[in-house]
Amino acid sequence: MKKLIILLLISSAFLWGQKRKTNYVIVIHGGAGTITHQRIFGEKQKEYEKKLTEALLTGKSVLEKGGTALDCVEKVINVLEDSPLFNAGKGAVFTGEGRNELDASIMNGKNLEAGAVAGVRHIKNPISLARLVMEKSPHVLLYGAGAEEFAKLQGINLVDTSYFFTQSRWDALMRIKQKEKMEAGDKHGTVGCVVLDGYGNLAAGTSTGGMTNKRWNRIGDSPIIGAGTYADNKSCAVSCTGHGEFFIRNAVAYDMTARMKYLHSSVTEAAKQIILHKLKKQGAAGGLIAVDKEGNIAMVFNTKGMFRGYLKKGSAPVVKMFGDDRSISNPRK
Amino acid sequence: MKKLIILLLISSAFLWGQKRKTNYVIVIHGGAGTITHQRIFGEKQKEYEKKLTEALLTGKSVLEKGGTALDCVEKVINVLEDSPLFNAGKGAVFTGEGRNELDASIMNGKNLEAGAVAGVRHIKNPISLARLVMEKSPHVLLYGAGAEEFAKLQGINLVDTSYFFTQSRWDALMRIKQKEKMEAGDKHGTVGCVVLDGYGNLAAGTSTGGMTNKRWNRIGDSPIIGAGTYADNKSCAVSCTGHGEFFIRNAVAYDMTARMKYLHSSVTEAAKQIILHKLKKQGAAGGLIAVDKEGNIAMVFNTKGMFRGYLKKGSAPVVKMFGDDRSISNPRK
């Protein structure tokens, strides 16, 4: 009888320990850039806040039902891909040829499995195709027509290219072509999500239309595992946004995990070192979000603002976009 | 007069110091795989030895004439691309559709500039196009038809796809398609080169036809900066070969530099940790070559063999391929 009581006590302690692990965290971004009070206010600001909140609550619902970090990353990014507000899926920017070429990648921190697609033109939700590449192909990265052939074999319906037409992105291309100069928000707007789930696993995903007026089938950092996206349970999950070429050359997403593993930096220290020092010195604009296995989060950017938000189990979603409220402990909702 | 003598002495000491830095090193690989005495001997072995030696001597000639590490990487890889012995350029393997899709990347350790192309079908020397992407475009990575359009603008002549036909690679595809099984050498054979030049700068490059029977426009690690190729004067220059998906997921090339920068590992320790421990545990076959800013080199692989060689200023070229002579201090020529 005594033994039984001891066993019960040990089991309860164990279960309590397990339960403590289930404090999930979801972090999202919708791109970094010249996001200021002068440019975004009133109805427009509310639209962004509403959509970012919806994405976080979608993720919450996935996790509350016992979904994994991977499920959560995919579904959250689907919400942002389906909105014309962000440069991913429906709101993708136009290439120099007036087309939409979408890139996305996803990674599972539990086993380092990863999938990515680049240059797809008929895929409504590139992040979901990236997940299929990870789970149903022997490869990590597929391109364009080949990736779409694989999608068809997986039962994904291709959408007509007209699906991706949005007037504001088209106007942005025209402005750039005329002025050969970027305006705020024309260039970036990539979306991303990183999650620590109830099972203690990390996952990360990123989805984008790339850079307005990009040419020659340019591939940026978003579909590159190690550049735009990385997840490893031993360190953190990361999703980046910004001037992709610099993020590739600095292997930013992997560097986050390397600094945590090898230098024992915190997730915030690592993010600040890379974004505010290393990249800023190179003149590279952008930011990143990250979450570690303890649920600590970083949302760091060297631009005027970054659409971003997070949701921790048991708390309300927090959504921000401007640069004058960088502290995550002082949320501006 | 006295002042002049002192000035002359200082200048000489300075020049001597500069000269000491000019102990250049060139390291190459021609792919890792089942390279054994049973498979490669006699005339065949001599062919490989001859071509690897020619590549090293080409690099030597570039550096002796005052060329940079970048020039050397490009010209050395051109020699290997032009040979049908290796899976790059002329000897590229066939995709599942019976085509050749070539990938390459190059990086300058002096300023972290990088260029890469993937999925090109009409480019005789993909490494040279990668260099043009780095030097003449605002991008790092271009794909397929877009990359070839850029090539034309740069004055590169496109070659007919028939240029890449080699009977042995075609037979390899047929064997794989019939047996759905790889034979030794069918799968790998990527080429790469890393250089420390006379100015103390590092550079790295990798070129490949990818994986025999690859499908869906698969992109491997070779054109991915941080996965197959990386160079940073602060740590080392790296070129990888092997099962590309694992090299992407582990960001192998960048991880070499991270271990050196953050853990102060030597180039050999870092290479062994990654190739012989981390990747081997994951069941990932492959190898890498690396050189650090002091001229220390690593040529590490977890397969039966790896075509490889090096040339240090003032010494004869050293060329090896089998696994039973791993020591670089005990060259088998």
Side-chain angles (χ1 to χ4, degrees), chain B residues 45 49 53 56-57 308 310 315-322 325 330-333:
Chain B
Q45 183 177 347
E49 284 172 352
T53 304
L56 287 170
L57 293 176
R308 61 201 188 277
Y310 62 91
S315 303
V318 175
V319 164
K320 301 190 246 185
M321 60 192 75
F322 303 112
D325 182 23
N330 175 25
R332 153 195 279 261
K333 211 182 146 186

Side-chain angles (χ1 to χ4, degrees), chain B residues 181-194:
Chain B
K181 134 174 194 290
M182 300 285 179
E183 285 199 17
D186 287 352
K187 210 165 171 179
H188 309 309
T190 298
V191 305
C193 178
V194 296

Side-chain angles (χ1 to χ4, degrees), chain A residues 27-33 35 190 194 221 228 236-243 247 252-253 256 259-260 266-280 284-291 296-310 320-329:
Chain A
V27 193
I28 57 175
H29 72 75
I35 298 156
T190 298
V194 296
D221 64 315
C236 67
V238 193
S239 171
C240 302
T241 173
H243 195 150
F247 283 73
V252 169
M256 280 290 297
R259 285 168 187 264
M260 291 183 68
S266 72
V267 69
T268 304
E269 279 163 12
K272 284 184 172 173
Q273 271 304 320
I274 296 173
I275 300 294
L276 304 183
H277 297 279
K278 198 175 175 195
L279 288 185
K280 205 172 179 185
L288 65 78
I289 55 169
V291 61
N296 299 304
I297 73 174
M299 307 192 295
V300 177
F301 49 98
N302 60 29
T303 48
K304 295 228 167 134
M306 179 167 81
F307 296 111
R308 62 202 188 277
Y310 63 90
K320 302 190 246 184
M321 58 191 77
F322 303 111
D324 52 6
D325 181 24
R326 289 177 185 244
S327 160
I328 57 166
S329 54

Side-chain angles (χ1 to χ4, degrees), chain B residues 163-178:
Chain B
Y163 168 76
F164 298 104
F165 184 87
T166 53
Q167 195 61 48
S168 63
R169 299 299 188 191
W170 183 259
D171 295 345
L173 176 67
M174 293 302 117
R175 276 200 304 277
I176 288 178
K177 280 198 174 285
Q178 277 160 24

Side-chain angles (χ1 to χ4, degrees), chain A residues 42-116:
Chain A
E43 278 309 308
K44 185 117 189 167
Q45 182 177 346
K46 274 186 202 149
E47 264 186 88
Y48 277 106
E49 284 173 353
K50 207 176 139 191
K51 191 52 74 176
L52 291 167
T53 305
E54 183 192 331
L56 287 169
L57 293 176
T58 300
K60 178 184 177 174
S61 150
V62 169
L63 295 179
E64 290 285 347
K65 286 177 193 149
T68 64
L70 218 49
D71 299 328
C72 182
V73 163
E74 181 186 357
K75 297 302 172 202
V76 166
I77 289 182
N78 285 165
V79 172
L80 301 172
E81 284 175 335
D82 291 345
S83 162
L85 290 173
F86 305 98
N87 174 18
K90 176 69 187 155
V93 299
F94 286 92
T95 68
E97 300 89 3
R99 314 198 311 189
N100 305 96
E101 292 178 357
L102 296 89
D103 304 334
S105 64
I106 195 165
M107 186 160 187
N108 188 348
K110 190 179 170 183
N111 52 17
L112 300 187
E113 286 186 354

Side-chain angles (χ1 to χ4, degrees), chain A residues 111-112 138-143 146-147 216-219 224 230 245 249-251 254-255 259 262-263 278, chain B residues 111-112 138-143 146-147 216-219 224 230 245 249 251 254-255 259 262-263 278:
Chain A
N111 52 17
L112 300 187
H139 300 313
V140 168
L141 176 54
L142 301 182
Y143 189 87
W216 308 312
N217 300 137
R218 172 257 193 189
I219 301 176
I224 307 295
Y230 207 81
E245 278 69 14
R249 289 161 48 185
N250 290 281
Y254 187 80
D255 196 31
R259 285 168 187 264
Y262 305 149
L263 296 177
K278 198 175 175 195
Chain B
N111 51 18
L112 300 187
H139 300 314
V140 168
L141 175 54
L142 302 182
Y143 189 87
W216 309 313
N217 300 136
R218 172 257 194 189
I219 301 176
I224 307 294
Y230 207 81
E245 278 69 14
R249 288 161 48 187
Y254 186 81
D255 197 30
R259 285 168 187 264
Y262 305 149
L263 296 177
K278 198 175 175 193

